[in-house]
Amino acid sequence: GENVEQHPSTLSVQEGDSAVIKCTYSDSASNYFPWYKQELGKRPQLIIDIRSNVGEKKDQRIAVTLNKTAKHFSLHITETQPEDSAVYFCAASRRRTTGTASKLTFGTGTRLQVTL
Amino acid sequence: EAGVAQSPRYKIIEKRQSVAFWCNPISGHATLYWYQQILGQGPKLLIQFQNNGVVDDSQLPKDRFSAERLKGVDSTLKIQPAKLEDSAVYLCASSSLPTNYEQYFGPGTRLTVT
């Protein structure tokens, strides 16, 4: 089955700096890669996603890049703010043989701390 | 649109007791997922429904966990009997189409087994 590794496990940056979180996946058939933000005690929230036919996607201060050959994808947050502090999870998914979307396999999470 | 609803939000039980969780997905979402999130880890899929049929329950501990989605809308997840290692947050998620990858999560039920 799919295995997703995520690094680093914790990341501390100063406000205004950039943060980068990296993930690798094992299943070459995976074709959908979402990123979720989870604040303490709250639900995971989808913040950005990318499909395998796209190399990069950007939404304001966040961007995701995908390297299918190397089977890794990254989340980039620029101009970080204190409210970006949370746990970020990457995930991978692919279409099942039945045609339905498959489960999300999550990474282990990165705790981002943005300090003033 | 309203989000995924779950209840209860918190539950404390003793080991060997039973417990049930309820989920109401976003209106019109055909696919429903139950995930288990142990503290400090990413969510792990327990079971996936497409309408009222099971698509994947390969990681559901079937000796103690059961789930159903009657009428293809609401779903319940049951644990009987509970073990200490079942302490976790149980998250329900839904997506709109069989091939729609975007999943939206509910607030979760935090279960503590003592």
Side-chain angles (χ1 to χ4, degrees), chain B:
Chain B
E1 64 181 3
V4 177
Q6 290 187 248
S7 68
R9 292 296 312 279
Y10 306 92
K11 190 73 177 179
I12 301 174
I13 62 172
E14 295 182 349
K15 59 183 179 183
R16 292 187 290 275
Q17 287 187 323
S18 61
V19 65
F21 313 129
W22 172 82
C23 172
N24 181 242
I26 293 172
S27 179
H29 279 199
T31 309
L32 185 148
Y33 311 79
W34 282 102
Y35 288 88
Q36 179 193 58
Q37 186 175 25
I38 294 173
L39 187 64
Q41 299 181 17
K44 182 188 79 172
L45 180 76
L46 292 175
I47 189 166
Q48 177 181 347
F49 290 96
Q50 180 64 39
N51 295 311
N52 61 350
V54 175
V55 174
D56 184 350
D57 63 357
S58 58
Q59 296 188 92
L60 186 73
K62 298 180 185 65
D63 58 335
R64 298 184 300 106
F65 286 64
S66 64
E68 61 182 10
R69 191 184 183 198
L70 300 176
K71 301 180 182 179
V73 181
D74 294 3
S75 177
T76 56
L77 175 69
K78 297 179 181 178
I79 307 175
Q80 181 180 10
K83 292 186 176 181
L84 295 177
E85 57 261 36
D86 298 333
S87 294
V89 175
Y90 291 84
L91 294 162
C92 179
S94 68
S95 60
S96 62
L97 296 169
T99 55
N100 191 339
Y101 292 95
E102 290 87 355
Q103 296 184 26
Y104 298 91
F105 284 83
T109 296
R110 182 176 297 277
L111 173 67
T112 302
V113 182
T114 62

Side-chain angles (χ1 to χ4, degrees), chain A residues 94-103, chain B residues 33 45 48 55-56:
Chain A
R94 62 172 176 81
R95 191 183 303 276
R96 299 179 189 275
T97 54
T98 56
T100 59
S102 79
K103 65 180 180 183
Chain B
Y33 311 79
L45 180 76
Q48 177 181 347
V55 174
D56 184 350

Side-chain angles (χ1 to χ4, degrees), chain A residues 31-46:
Chain A
N31 59 356
Y32 174 67
F33 308 92
W35 286 88
Y36 284 84
K37 176 183 179 181
Q38 189 173 31
E39 297 178 58
L40 189 62
K42 296 191 176 180
R43 73 188 75 191
Q45 288 195 301
L46 179 67

